[in-house]
């Protein structure tokens, strides 16, 4: 065997060692399986649904269970209402393994296990902030964790080797481990995940009885705002129920804000009404500025909106010519106007590249619809 062939066939260096058992072969479980297998890790899958399990194995997320399996790490990726039960079963069946879970609520299953008197020495709750609107093994992707936060909830009794294994899982999958307490985690996801889901669903719900003519006016803004409204109701009933108190706190504050804006708009000519509306929009500007950008940075980008003909190969040509101009595309958003034979490509670039991008693209025949500074 030549050196080049040997290197190509050798296992990749990973922080996770031994066999990883994944319980729950849905979107997150199968995605973890795909990512680990790509690194040469032995992955065994288990799921209460035989058809879901067979599908995940057929797609290559892992192998079937064997009697002699001795996993070093177990990842529980099951619905929230059975997470505590499965964690307990895995800890009892594999006492030498480290067990983590990827449920989106951390405090409720921990309290349940503590109340049952379960030995939690080798349990570490975790949560990758990643996902898709679609679920199941068929929607799984190995790259959904890349660049995403992965919360790890340790305590004072957590062995260092166990913590290293769970954090190593996150790092191997391209995620960024962040240590939080279960309470901190649940308050954080109530604000940045759970309430946004409800807001998107409530807004999209207003479309059900809306006239068709109104919906034909919908642009990218409303699509962005309601994208996550396509999520599965069954799963969200469990998530919201398990994290109800922090979610209610945010909803109450949001309801007060909505009431204040509504009061101002009931009498827009009244003293202070316009300021109340302007302050609301400005506070939103400030909040958006605090959101991490690409690679978790707070770096801000400018937008260049390019008109793209609705023909094959146009996006490829656009990217190619931006590359020739030495302009890196930091982000991309596409919008199609109903009935139009073109789309709008909103390209995010660093501020110093705006002029070079605009002048270079226009010289190559592209039409610039707008820039951030217009």
């Amino acid at each position: 065997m030549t050196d080049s062939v040997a290197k190509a066939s050798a296992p990749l260096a990973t922080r996770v060692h031994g066999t990883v058992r994944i319980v729950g072969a849905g979107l997150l479980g199968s995605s973890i399986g795909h990512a680990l297998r790509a690194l040469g890790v032995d992955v065994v899958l288990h799921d209460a649904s035989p058809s879901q399990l067979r599908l995940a194995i057929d797609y290559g997320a892992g192998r079937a269970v064997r009697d002699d399996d001795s996993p070093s790490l177990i990842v529980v990726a099951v619905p929230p209402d059975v997470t505590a039960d499965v964690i307990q079963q895995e800890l009892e069946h594999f006492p030498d393994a480290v067990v983590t879970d990827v449920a989106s609520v951390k405090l409720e299953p921990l309290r349940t296990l503590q109340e049952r008197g379960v030995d939690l020495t080798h349990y570490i709750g975790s949560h990758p902030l990643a996902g898709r609107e679609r679920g199941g093994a068929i929607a799984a992707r190995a790259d959904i964790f890349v660049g995403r936060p992965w919360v790890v909830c340790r305590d004072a009794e957590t062995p260092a080797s166990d913590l290293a294994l769970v954090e190593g899982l996150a790092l191997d999958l391209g995620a960024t481990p962040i240590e939080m307490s279960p309470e901190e985690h649940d308050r954080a996801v109530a604000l940045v995940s759970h309430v946004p889901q409800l807001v998107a669903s409530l807004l999209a719900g207003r479309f059900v009885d809306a006239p068709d003519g109104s919906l034909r006016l919908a642009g990218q803004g409303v699509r962005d705002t309601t994208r996550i409204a396509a999520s599965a109701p069954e799963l969200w009933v469990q998530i919201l129920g398990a994290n109800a108190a922090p979610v209610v706190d945010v909803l109450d504050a949001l309801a007060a804000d909505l009431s204040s804006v509504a009061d101002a708009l009931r009498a827009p000519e009244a003293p202070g009404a316009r300021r109340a509306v302007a302050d609301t929009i400005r506070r939103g500007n400030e909040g958006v500025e605090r959101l991490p950008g690409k690679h978790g940075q707070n770096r801000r980008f400018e937008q260049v909106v390019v008109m793209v003909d609705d023909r094959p190969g146009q996006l490829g040509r656009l990217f190619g010519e931006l590359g020739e101009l030495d302009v890196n595309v930091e982000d991309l958003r596409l919008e199609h106007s109903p009935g139009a034979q073109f789309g709008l490509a909103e390209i995010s670039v660093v501020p110093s590249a705006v002029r070079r991008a605009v002048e270079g693209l226009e010289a190559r025949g592209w039409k610039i619809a707008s820039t951030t500074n217009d």
Side-chain angles (χ1 to χ4, degrees):
M1 182 183 294
T2 65
D3 290 343
S4 60
V5 173
K7 289 178 181 178
S9 60
L12 297 172
T14 62
R15 298 168 181 84
V16 172
H17 54 79
T19 295
V20 176
R21 172 180 165 91
I22 300 175
V23 184
L27 172 64
L28 288 183
S30 292
S31 294
I32 293 170
H34 284 297
L36 289 176
R37 290 203 69 197
L39 296 173
V41 176
D42 179 36
V43 177
V44 58
L45 298 176
H46 175 72
D47 196 285
S49 167
S51 60
Q52 178 87 319
L53 177 61
R54 286 194 296 269
L55 186 62
I57 292 174
D58 285 349
Y59 271 93
R63 63 171 174 82
V65 173
R66 294 198 298 253
D67 291 340
D68 61 347
D69 285 333
S70 181
S72 59
L73 176 64
I74 299 171
V75 181
V76 174
V78 298
D81 61 347
V82 294
T83 294
D85 294 338
V86 175
I87 291 171
Q88 181 176 354
Q89 293 166 9
E90 296 299 312
L91 285 169
E92 293 172 351
H93 193 70
F94 298 99
D96 296 326
V98 177
V99 178
T100 189
D101 73 290
V102 294
S104 60
V105 177
K106 303 273 54 106
L107 189 57
E108 191 272 340
L110 176 63
R111 283 176 172 169
T112 299
L113 292 165
Q114 289 173 334
E115 290 169 359
R116 294 176 181 176
V118 177
D119 182 358
L120 300 177
T121 303
H122 295 300
Y123 165 68
I124 303 175
S126 71
H127 178 211
L129 276 295
R132 306 181 68 189
E133 292 80 46
R134 294 181 296 157
I138 197 170
R141 283 175 35 182
D143 63 352
I144 67 171
F145 307 104
V146 176
R148 301 300 302 154
W150 191 308
V151 176
V152 179
C153 299
R154 66 175 299 183
D155 60 34
E157 298 179 358
T158 300
S161 58
D162 292 5
L163 177 64
L165 192 56
V166 175
E167 290 187 338
L169 171 68
L171 291 168
D172 282 346
L173 271 55
T176 302
I178 298 175
E179 288 192 20
M180 282 185 168
S181 70
E183 294 86 354
E184 290 172 330
H185 168 274
D186 287 2
R187 287 195 300 269
V189 294
L191 177 63
V192 302
S193 176
H194 300 171
V195 168
Q197 173 65 52
L198 282 171
V199 170
S201 297
L202 288 167
L203 178 57
R206 307 307 303 170
F207 304 158
V208 174
D209 298 320
D212 290 342
S214 297
L215 298 181
R216 280 198 292 269
L217 303 180
Q220 195 62 37
V222 73
R223 296 181 191 279
D224 288 346
T225 306
T226 58
R227 177 181 58 84
I228 58 175
S231 301
E234 300 84 0
L235 175 62
W236 276 98
V237 166
Q238 297 181 37
I239 293 173
L240 294 168
N243 201 30
V247 168
V248 168
D249 288 342
V250 180
L251 285 176
D252 284 344
L254 184 61
D257 292 341
L258 288 170
S259 179
S260 295
V261 175
D263 288 342
L265 292 175
R266 286 189 181 94
E269 301 300 327
R274 283 185 169 82
R275 177 173 178 174
V277 174
D279 285 348
T280 298
I281 302 301
R282 185 172 61 248
R283 187 167 174 79
N285 296 161
E286 295 171 355
V288 167
E289 286 295 317
R290 294 198 62 202
L291 292 176
K294 185 180 179 183
H295 306 312
Q297 302 171 352
N298 287 322
R299 191 179 186 185
R300 296 297 114 193
F301 303 115
E302 303 287 341
Q303 283 70 47
V304 177
V305 181
V306 186
M307 296 176 65
V308 181
D309 290 338
D310 192 8
R311 293 186 288 114
Q314 293 303 294
L315 275 178
R317 183 168 74 89
L318 175 61
F319 285 135
E321 295 184 358
L322 284 167
E324 293 171 3
L325 294 167
D326 195 28
V327 174
N328 186 49
V329 177
E330 306 290 346
D331 201 357
L332 169 70
R333 187 173 68 172
L334 294 175
E335 180 177 354
H336 281 89
S337 299
Q341 296 303 309
F342 65 86
L344 298 176
E346 182 181 292
I347 309 294
S348 296
V349 300
V350 294
S352 61
V354 172
R355 183 174 179 179
R356 183 168 69 252
V358 171
E359 293 180 352
L361 290 176
E362 287 181 334
R364 287 163 168 76
W366 293 96
K367 294 181 180 179
I368 306 301
S370 66
T371 66
T372 304
N373 295 325
D374 286 352

